[in-house]
Amino acid sequence: MLSSVNGSVRQFLSFNQRPQRLLHLTPRSQFQEMGSHFDFLTKKPYSPPSWASRLSPIPSHYYSLGHFPTPIHKWNLPNLPNNTEVWLKRDDLSGMQLSGNKVRKLEFLLADAVAQGADCIITIGGIQSNHCRATAVAARYLNLDSYLILRTSKVVVDQDPGLTGNLLVERLVGAHVELISKEEYAKIGSVALTSDLKEKLISDGRRPYVIPVGGSNSLGTWGYIEAIREIEQQLQTGTAEAKFDDIVVACGSGGTIAGLSFGSWMSSLKAKVHAFSVCDDPDYFYDFVQGLLDGLEAGVASRDIVNIQNAKGLGYAINTSEELKFVKDIAAATGVVLDPVYSGKAAYGLLKDMTENPEKWEGRKVLFIHTGGLLGLYEKVEQMGSLVGNWRRMDVHESVPRKDGIGKMF
């Protein structure tokens, strides 16, 4: 599938090399009238957007952990339907160690952890979990220890997990890594596993705070409610006239789409939210998102405010060669590197849908949320090796003068 997309990406290289138009960005501190150049890692009182003020409970504080607002720019993808525009919200640029969508949730979750007097954080995810990496870094910033329960293959569950991708960052910042096999995880579940570790730590005199998979609970949902306010402000202050008809994002745990869909529904955006699920199935996520919305007393039905499509392919964090080639071709054409687990599959699903149902997207202006995850590519290097190339030993003609020591190796 998408062979027409993959095959034509290179034709757009010269087109995409022209400068891209960026929306004028106003600092987030100006949005909330908290102008300070020293906001990073500080705790701040939180006041919700007016259109979200009826939700309950409303967080009292948040920590400034990300570099916001993240940019929005035109994304010149190949083979789009007639008069269709795709723009990109770069939440992959929300930081370095803390890059990606999880940072927005952690701003609220860690403020709650500190308020409760926690001295350590427990969370859980896959072996290359972006959320676990972001949690470990953010926790260390706030002088909290982190305990990460990571799901892996039963073949290697008793072995050192190594230092590839997110694992390297997690272990550098001193995270305590607890490995669990996929089979045990499936039988026990994330809630029981985190509860078991919490009890052990309490018995050791610690004060743990548990963050669920992906940071996706009702409190974490505020991260992307706030992101909608950010997008509103960017559109209002931008030099470009932009009004988005659709918002597209990957869905892995549900919190991001809960915040985006409710926010877009209630705010002035009124864009239709499309989520491409990379695990489980759409029915699961409709129900899960409904639970998050009910936890905020939102009074809306998830099926009314978000459209969820299946994009998991072979399974969570498992890629076909065609999906990886798509990631490589989009990077070569546009300079935007998608991760293979989340945004890569979502973009693949989006362009596939546009190819199969062009009339559905014709003339629409689409905002795609890049949720980060670059470090996850490092686990795919063997699979991607045959897809890249572009290297050779340089052939220096014999007529070029040579002299020992002339080349300084800095």
Side-chain angles (χ1 to χ4, degrees), residues 32 34 44-50 58-62 222 226 229:
Q32 300 180 347
M34 298 177 185
K44 294 184 170 297
Y46 180 69
S47 178
S50 59
I58 293 174
S60 60
H61 291 80
Y62 73 99
W222 281 97
E226 184 61 29
R229 169 157 63 178

Side-chain angles (χ1 to χ4, degrees), residues 136-295:
V137 172
R140 180 50 63 212
Y141 277 155
L142 302 180
N143 200 31
L144 301 171
D145 291 335
S146 61
Y147 290 82
L148 312 178
I149 302 174
L150 302 181
R151 185 180 63 246
T152 189
S153 167
K154 64 180 180 181
V155 178
V156 296
V157 72
D158 294 312
Q159 301 174 19
D160 187 308
L163 298 173
T164 299
N166 287 301
L167 281 163
L168 174 60
V169 176
E170 291 161 357
R171 300 179 77 178
L172 281 174
V173 299
H176 301 269
V177 174
E178 305 268 345
L179 299 179
I180 189 80
S181 72
K182 295 176 182 178
E183 292 76 13
E184 288 179 292
Y185 184 99
K187 292 177 182 178
I188 302 172
S190 64
V191 174
L193 287 169
T194 52
S195 296
D196 181 67
L197 182 54
K198 179 180 179 179
E199 291 176 7
K200 292 175 182 175
L201 290 172
I202 290 174
S203 67
D204 290 338
R206 303 301 302 271
R207 301 186 302 278
Y209 180 93
V210 175
I211 294 177
V213 174
S216 290
N217 57 15
S218 294
L219 178 58
T221 299
W222 281 97
Y224 270 87
I225 292 174
E226 184 61 29
I228 289 292
R229 169 157 63 178
E230 179 177 300
I231 295 167
E232 272 191 308
Q233 294 285 357
Q234 287 177 291
L235 294 178
Q236 291 168 8
T237 60
T239 56
E241 293 184 8
K243 172 71 175 176
F244 297 116
D245 302 299
D246 304 273
I247 295 174
V248 177
V249 69
C251 173
S253 59
T256 296
I257 66 168
L260 284 174
S261 57
F262 175 81
S264 184
W265 179 268
M266 294 300 296
S267 72
S268 63
L269 285 189
K270 302 294 188 262
K272 185 175 183 178
V273 177
H274 307 262
F276 287 86
S277 61
V278 301
C279 56
D280 295 296
D281 58 68
D283 285 337
Y284 166 82
F285 281 112
Y286 281 123
D287 291 341
F288 186 83
V289 169
Q290 189 63 58
L292 298 183
L293 295 172
D294 290 346

Side-chain angles (χ1 to χ4, degrees), residues 97-118:
Q97 302 101 307
L98 275 174
S99 67
N101 62 322
K102 307 306 181 184
V103 186
R104 294 188 186 271
K105 303 176 188 182
L106 289 169
E107 289 196 323
F108 293 95
L109 292 165
L110 289 181
D112 188 48
V114 171
Q116 292 191 28

